[in-house]
Amino acid sequence: MSQQLVSTPSTGDRHRPSYHFLPPANWMNDPNGFIQWGSTYHLFYQYNPAAAVHETIHWGHAASEDLVHWRHLPIALTPTPGGPDADGCWSGSAVDDDGTPTIIYTGASGQRQRACLATGSDDLVTWQKYPGNPIIPEPPSNLELVAYRDHCVWREADTWYQLMGAGIAGVGGAALLYRSSDLRQWDYVHPLSVADQHHVDGLWTGAMWECPDFFPLSDRHVLVMSVWDAHHLHYAVALVGDYRDHRFEPLFAQKLDYGDRHFYAPQSLADRTGRRVVIGWVQEGRSIEAQRAASWSGTLSLPRELALGADGRLRIRPVTELESLRGACARVGPTDIRAAQPLVLQEVSGDALELEVLVRPAPGGRFGVAVRCAPDDLEQTLVVYDAAIAQLTIDRSRASLDPDTGSAAHTAPLALAEGEPLRLRIFLDHSILEVFANDTVSITTRIYPTRSDSLGVALFAERGDARLLRLDAWHMHSIWGPEG
Ligand code: DQQ
């Protein structure tokens, strides 16, 4: 069933990233089947090899030794005409069934979305669909579901468990728990977790939870899902809580990333070092016509490591392997950033950068980093911390002169402890901006500056001077070879 990934690389589009994963051309969305096999990381993804639109979804495939540099592999799953996945091989996960790589995914045909299984060769390159597909032909009869798909599979002793994403009419999102001894025959157990009138811990979680991902983290468990409502994709949510007797009790809910739909359907793995690595789909923020014209759409986020802090809250930071992409660098500071006197960094500019900024904003003041700035400031994107309201914002109102690109602001709560400096890591990759603050919050978004000279970086302070302790900037290498 394997098919070569034959496509002409999309080049010549200045918005195309150079150090984020994406296929050579056409459409991609959710990461799938994220697994470490031996020492190699395998990443599958929702892929349309024919066009830059979400249609006839296959499973694309790539592999990496370091989570940073990827090699493209043949398509893993292709819809089978007349089969339960005739209209698409949708999201799911991969497990090691005593040495047999096994995928459980959603087969889409007409209005139906049903669990299907495929097994792989040792190198995970060729896959055979199970002749008994679909393995779960119908949803539980005692629930009135608005939608039902996507799979997270794990083993406890000799028993396999899986969660399916769902939405219960009038109630909201749910993660439905199933049990199996052989990955092929499944019994429905009960909902592992259900929204309370479309909310969890005060956070709205929509009509349905897509792409559940469930895993232990320190002494707790985390349920990550993505909020779907009325055909709109909203954001990825992490519920941190306790898992006992096959029930999950969330203690609190938060967005996993505050860039909303620009970080969606994440999937994670525990690698051989034991760390939990998560990666999400970074959706476009420009029109469908512009995506078609560019002949590519969608990328993956940088891989992030998740942990639990001493306060029981999630910690999130880019994996250390990304430091291998750092090229030429510049350092600025220590220095004061005077209120209303922006400091344009003469030594730092570009569209493939990492910036690490350590700064003390004035008490109650604002401090910001402007990126992709045109010399006359008509285009610029602002990363702003406001100490008065303990909030980090990406202000895209002037990100692009193209009115058909996203311009809404993204905000994240960020309270600093007494005396704690603000620590920003800003990853700029052409149209992608990923910002991590104090290992506590991340904001991922898209920007499409129109001008080729929108490359500047500046620092600014308002309502008092900020003390810049240090800024390091690196030009980032491409993750692909020269043809990339
Ligand atoms: N994408 C897949 C679905 C999933 C959605 C289809 C989330 O399986 O629910 O491409 O983006």
Side-chain angles (χ1 to χ4, degrees):
M1 132 192 352
S2 99
Q3 182 182 325
Q4 283 298 325
L5 188 112
V6 183
S7 45
T8 314
S10 306
T11 50
D13 175 9
R14 74 160 73 108
H15 300 303
R16 187 172 167 86
S18 61
Y19 67 92
H20 283 71
F21 174 83
L22 75 176
N26 298 316
W27 171 274
M28 72 157 296
N29 56 299
D30 317 346
N32 293 147
F34 192 27
I35 192 168
Q36 191 178 28
W37 196 265
S39 60
T40 304
Y41 296 98
H42 288 263
L43 180 68
F44 303 84
Y45 55 90
Q46 296 281 281
Y47 178 47
N48 177 5
V53 292
H54 184 268
E55 271 170 15
T56 322
I57 293 296
H58 298 49
W59 273 40
H61 184 193
S64 169
E65 305 308 320
D66 64 359
L67 288 167
V68 173
H69 300 88
W70 296 92
R71 55 185 183 279
H72 295 297
L73 291 169
I75 287 172
L77 297 176
T78 298
T80 299
D85 60 8
D87 295 324
C89 301
W90 287 9
S91 288
S93 57
V95 290
D96 177 354
D97 182 14
D98 290 329
T100 304
T102 303
I103 284 172
I104 293 189
Y105 67 102
T106 295
S109 60
Q111 294 306 308
R112 307 185 80 178
Q113 291 152 19
R114 294 173 292 176
C116 293
L117 181 142
T119 49
S121 55
D122 265 1
D123 55 5
L124 284 71
V125 170
T126 53
W127 294 85
Q128 286 299 325
K129 292 181 189 170
Y130 177 56
N133 283 338
I135 52 173
I136 306 178
E138 298 292 341
S141 55
N142 63 339
L143 294 175
E144 195 191 331
L145 298 180
V146 295
Y148 169 73
R149 57 178 170 266
D150 308 333
H151 315 268
C152 170
V153 184
W154 71 97
R155 181 155 46 186
E156 294 176 27
D158 288 337
T159 305
W160 290 100
Y161 289 87
Q162 79 157 291
L163 286 182
M164 282 190 68
I168 302 176
V171 174
L176 305 184
L177 184 68
Y178 287 78
R179 181 165 49 206
S180 169
S181 59
D182 65 358
L183 290 170
R184 286 151 181 82
Q185 299 273 345
W186 291 90
D187 296 319
Y188 173 59
V189 182
H190 52 226
L192 180 86
S193 184
V194 186
D196 180 7
Q197 292 305 309
H198 304 95
H199 290 75
V200 181
D201 185 31
L203 181 65
W204 181 76
T205 60
M208 187 227 167
W209 295 351
E210 295 190 304
C211 299
D213 187 33
F214 186 57
F215 50 86
L217 198 65
S218 301
D219 56 350
R220 300 253 187 252
H221 270 71
V222 179
L223 175 60
V224 172
M225 41 63 181
S226 293
V227 172
W228 178 98
D229 194 275
H231 300 282
H232 284 94
L233 313 184
H234 289 268
Y235 40 76
V237 168
L239 309 179
V240 178
D242 290 324
Y243 176 53
R244 262 184 235 111
D245 302 326
H246 299 107
R247 304 235 178 225
F248 177 68
E249 195 56 47
L251 298 169
F252 69 87
Q254 67 171 78
K255 291 184 185 178
L256 187 54
D257 184 286
Y258 289 85
D260 295 334
R261 72 184 186 87
H262 297 294
F263 182 89
Y264 199 78
Q267 234 185 48
S268 71
L269 57 72
D271 74 4
R272 297 200 306 182
T273 67
R275 65 186 168 160
R276 178 61 52 175
V277 178
V278 63
I279 197 160
W281 166 37
V282 180
Q283 269 191 79
E284 299 300 318
R286 56 179 170 174
S287 68
I288 288 171
E289 294 71 37
Q291 294 171 45
R292 269 192 197 273
S295 354
W296 66 277
S297 175
T299 86
L300 289 184
S301 72
L302 298 175
R304 300 120 183 255
E305 184 179 341
L306 285 185
L308 272 195
D311 57 358
R313 296 269 158 174
L314 280 182
R315 293 284 178 274
I316 184 161
R317 59 166 181 243
V319 298
T320 53
E321 287 91 330
L322 290 161
E323 292 172 18
S324 69
L325 296 175
R326 291 172 172 175
C329 68
R331 174 167 283 192
V332 182
T335 188
D336 289 328
I337 310 297
R338 302 268 175 224
Q341 289 177 32
L343 176 68
V344 177
L345 302 183
Q346 303 300 340
E347 53 281 80
V348 182
S349 72
D351 54 10
L353 299 173
E354 180 193 343
L355 309 173
E356 187 167 14
V357 186
L358 197 62
V359 66
R360 285 189 201 286
R366 276 161 55 95
F367 166 78
V369 182
V371 296
R372 301 296 313 258
C373 304
D376 56 10
D377 286 344
L378 285 180
E379 287 186 327
Q380 55 177 309
T381 300
L382 310 180
V383 180
V384 187
Y385 182 66
D386 189 328
I389 53 172
Q391 192 174 76
L392 183 70
T393 298
I394 296 185
D395 175 348
R396 297 187 296 167
S397 56
R398 284 188 285 164
S400 176
L401 293 170
D402 178 350
D404 291 330
T405 61
S407 57
H410 303 289
T411 59
L414 179 64
L416 300 178
E418 185 73 36
E420 181 185 5
L422 173 69
R423 188 158 37 84
L424 297 175
R425 288 189 65 190
I426 299 174
F427 292 87
L428 175 63
D429 187 3
H430 301 83
S431 55
I432 304 181
L433 184 59
E434 282 188 71
V435 178
F436 296 82
N438 294 58
D439 292 348
T440 304
V441 292
S442 66
I443 307 180
T444 301
T445 192
R446 304 300 299 267
I447 52 174
Y448 301 87
T450 58
R451 286 171 46 169
S452 57
D453 59 354
S454 291
L455 297 172
V457 178
L459 308 179
F460 61 92
E462 293 166 6
R463 303 197 300 254
D465 301 347
R467 178 69 181 162
L468 178 72
L469 304 173
R470 195 178 67 231
L471 178 146
D472 288 301
W474 294 269
H475 284 279
M476 297 293 267
H477 295 302
S478 166
I479 60 171
W480 310 107
E483 76 288 354

